[in-house]
């Protein structure tokens, strides 16, 4: 491949470019810290409910008890799936990936939102609540419908984390499963100007509605360099098959210069702030389930990648094997990331529209010099 030309003021992949000002999240790659509006995300993951964190991100502060009750009941009200969405999900080809089903369902939902074209702060907040409330139902129902099963309505007594698993699996999770799944949602909720969030902000900056923004986010998240990595990481672990084979597999992959999904990060070069917490919770979960093999495999992969390449796992590695042990089908791992990230995306759309300026960068032209047009009839 020809070497790329260097240009002043150009950073491929926008690496290191500051593209906005935000009060939502701070990532400190040196200290491996992720902060949501002043709170350590890993502390929130261990102690808070996903709903509290969603309120923190979207509304701007941790809820009081009264605010929490109102917020959670609003999310529960929004969990019911409109008939049109169920009908559309039933018409999708059975091979549709659940991320594509999610993208389609969100587009369908926009038509019935009474606030669609109202871009005021309050209307955006109402739309964010509707989206956060409905997205777990969409993901669970789409999977069941694609498998030829009937959707299961939400249980208003359950938390958002437990409800998702209930709507998917038909039974409420035990307390440990709920706690670990809740923590994974919190750690997936927000991460600054990552690719999908940036896509949401770019779309919002044109004054398109919030549904257009989050559809852009869903499409961007699907790629394997971003959210799709958790599904790809689990496929890799399944092809390794056994912790004893992990070291050789990784060494061979390095020799072939293959990328290992679930490793590396654009921002963190010394380790992903979210991994130690999720790994510890995952180990606790694996011990309780009596099967440490996936934990051990991931741990060996990590040891070899750090030793040989100084490349650390990202959050998609522990989430992949934890979800697998929870019996969650692999094609749902990226949609689950979207369920969580809906809070971050909508928080960013609201912030973008509160201080909007069209996002429109420039590019360097490397095409042909100016030349005269030759009419078609004169071209051979
Ligand atoms: N496996 C093997 N090598 C990797 C790697 C991985 N997962 N991630 C990065 N590297 C290597 C690259 O091959 C490159 O090596 P080189 O300099 O010898 O060519 C070097 O590390 C820098 O990688 P690069 O892809 O340029 O860094 P980036 O900042 O653009 O990449 C990612 C960030 C996330 C795109 C990259 O780490 C990746 O593709 N990871 C796998 C996908 C993934 O897990 N995504 C989820 C991110 S949360």
């Amino acid at each position: 491949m020809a070497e790329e030309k260097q240009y002043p003021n150009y950073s491929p992949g926008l690496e290191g470019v500051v593209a906005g000002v935000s009060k939502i999240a701070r990532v400190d790659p040196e200290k491996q810290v992720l902060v949501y509006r002043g709170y350590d995300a890993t502390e929130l993951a261990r102690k808070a409910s996903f709903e509290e964190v969603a309120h923190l991100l979207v509304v701007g502060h941790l809820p009081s008890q009264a605010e929490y009750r109102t917020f959670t009941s609003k999310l529960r009200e929004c969990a019911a799936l409109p008939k049109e969405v169920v009908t559309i999900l039933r018409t999708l080809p059975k091979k549709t990936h659940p991320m594509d089903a999610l993208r389609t369902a969100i587009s369908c939902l926009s038509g019935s939102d009474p606030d669609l074209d109202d871009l005021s702060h309050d209307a955006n907040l109402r739309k964010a609540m509707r989206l956060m409330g409905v997205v777990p139902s969409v993901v669970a129902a789409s999977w069941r419908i694609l498998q030829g099963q009937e959707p299961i309505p939400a249980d208003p007594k359950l938390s958002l984390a437990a409800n998702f698993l209930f709507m998917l699996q038909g039974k409420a999770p035990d307390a440990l499963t709920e706690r670990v799944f809740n923590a994974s949602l919190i750690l997936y909720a927000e991460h600054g100007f990552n690719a999908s969030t940036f896509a949401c902000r770019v779309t919002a900056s044109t004054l398109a509605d919030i549904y257009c923004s989050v559809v852009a986010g869903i499409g961007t998240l699907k790629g394997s360099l971003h959210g799709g990595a958790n599904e790809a990481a689990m496929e890799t672990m399944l092809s390794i098959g056994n912790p004893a084979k992990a070291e050789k597999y990784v060494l061979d992959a390095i020799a072939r210069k293959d990328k290992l999904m679930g490793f590396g990060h654009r921002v963190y070069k010394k380790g992903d702030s979210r991994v130690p917490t999720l790994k510890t919770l995952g180990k606790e979960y694996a011990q309780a389930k009596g099967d440490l093999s996936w934990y051990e495999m991931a741990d060996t992969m990590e040891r070899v990648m750090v030793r040989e390449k100084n490349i650390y796992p990202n959050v998609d590695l522990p989430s992949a094997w934890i979800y697998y042990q929870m019996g969650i089908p692999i094609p749902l791992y990226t949609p689950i990331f979207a369920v969580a990230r809906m809070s971050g995306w909508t928080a960013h759309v609201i912030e973008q529209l509160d201080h909007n300026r069209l996002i429109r960068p420039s590019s360097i032209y490397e095409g042909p010099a100016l030349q005269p047009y030759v009419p078609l009839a004169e071209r051979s």
Side-chain angles (χ1 to χ4, degrees):
M1 205 165 66
E3 205 171 301
E4 259 188 70
K5 276 193 211 159
Q6 302 283 316
Y7 295 101
N9 305 322
Y10 166 50
S11 174
L14 300 185
E15 184 165 4
V17 170
V18 176
V21 174
S22 176
K23 293 188 171 144
I24 302 169
R26 179 170 68 82
V27 186
D28 184 337
E30 283 307 309
K31 299 194 179 123
Q32 291 131 58
V33 174
L34 170 61
V35 174
Y36 296 165
R37 296 199 189 269
Y39 298 92
D40 183 333
T42 60
E43 183 180 10
L44 293 170
R46 282 182 280 107
K47 300 179 183 168
S49 68
F50 176 75
E51 289 89 327
E52 280 176 84
V53 174
H55 188 285
L56 171 69
L57 292 170
V58 172
V59 181
H61 60 268
L62 281 174
S64 66
Q65 293 179 24
E67 285 172 325
Y68 185 71
R69 280 192 295 276
T70 312
F71 187 74
T72 50
S73 68
K74 185 79 204 157
L75 291 186
R76 281 175 192 144
E77 265 169 44
C78 300
L81 277 182
K83 270 199 318 290
E84 304 78 26
V85 173
V86 176
T87 305
I88 286 210
L89 291 174
R90 288 194 202 283
T91 61
L92 292 176
K94 291 284 174 263
K95 283 195 173 148
T96 303
H97 189 281
M99 277 302 269
D100 301 333
L102 174 60
R103 197 190 59 212
T104 306
I106 299 295
S107 294
C108 173
L109 281 164
S110 69
S112 56
D113 194 314
D115 291 311
L116 185 65
D117 296 320
D118 182 346
L119 301 187
S120 66
H121 181 91
D122 288 350
N124 285 334
L125 201 51
R126 289 195 292 276
K127 286 176 279 188
M129 306 261 284
R130 289 182 195 123
L131 281 161
M132 288 186 294
V134 80
V135 74
S137 312
V138 170
V139 172
S142 70
W143 179 255
R144 290 186 64 87
I145 289 170
L146 290 167
Q147 303 313 300
Q149 298 169 321
E150 279 305 300
I152 299 173
D155 178 344
K157 293 186 296 300
L158 297 177
S159 68
L160 187 142
N163 231 330
F164 174 77
L165 295 173
F166 170 71
M167 289 187 285
L168 181 67
Q169 298 172 333
K171 78 180 193 5
D174 60 52
L176 178 62
T177 306
E178 179 179 359
R179 182 159 65 84
V180 176
F181 189 68
N182 175 74
S184 78
L185 294 181
I186 292 175
L187 293 172
Y188 265 143
E190 161 57 12
H191 211 220
F193 272 47
N194 58 88
S196 59
T197 301
F198 190 56
C200 291
R201 289 193 76 128
V202 169
T203 307
S205 84
T206 70
L207 303 185
D209 63 75
I210 197 167
Y211 289 83
C212 293
S213 293
V214 300
V215 165
I218 293 165
T220 310
L221 187 70
K222 190 184 175 196
S224 62
L225 295 188
H226 192 8
N230 54 13
E231 296 178 23
M234 194 62 228
E235 299 294 355
T236 301
M237 292 184 79
L238 284 171
S239 42
I240 296 174
N242 173 335
K245 296 186 180 161
E247 172 141 11
K248 180 168 176 348
Y249 186 99
V250 174
L251 289 173
D252 289 349
I254 292 171
R256 288 193 304 270
K257 297 199 182 302
D258 282 355
K259 267 199 171 172
L260 270 188
M261 296 296 151
F263 282 87
H265 201 275
R266 170 57 64 79
V267 176
Y268 298 114
K269 300 299 178 192
K270 299 178 179 170
D272 183 326
S273 63
R274 301 161 291 183
V275 167
T277 303
L278 200 52
K279 191 176 159 185
T280 303
L281 284 169
K283 185 176 185 188
E284 196 186 321
Y285 186 75
Q287 272 164 338
K289 299 288 157 190
D291 178 6
L292 276 164
S293 61
W294 300 105
Y295 168 84
E296 282 163 6
M297 185 188 293
D299 194 49
T300 304
M301 293 166 76
E302 173 177 347
R303 191 170 38 76
V304 179
M305 278 294 272
V306 173
R307 185 186 73 209
E308 300 292 322
K309 298 275 291 178
N310 200 27
I311 294 177
Y312 289 79
N314 58 55
V315 68
D316 292 320
L317 187 69
S319 65
W321 61 262
I322 291 170
Y323 292 163
Y324 190 78
Q325 284 205 275
M326 289 179 176
I328 301 173
I330 296 172
L332 289 180
Y333 297 2
T334 316
I336 290 170
F337 189 156
V339 165
R341 189 57 63 88
M342 190 58 76
S343 57
W345 288 338
T346 52
H348 277 273
V349 169
I350 293 171
E351 186 178 67
Q352 178 68 35
L353 288 172
D354 283 350
H355 312 274
N356 193 45
R357 182 160 166 81
L358 176 72
I359 299 174
R360 202 298 184 196
S362 44
S363 59
I364 293 151
Y365 177 68
E366 279 190 345
L370 196 62
Q371 52 191 321
Y373 170 77
V374 179
L376 181 60
E378 291 171 28
R379 273 178 264 147
S380 53

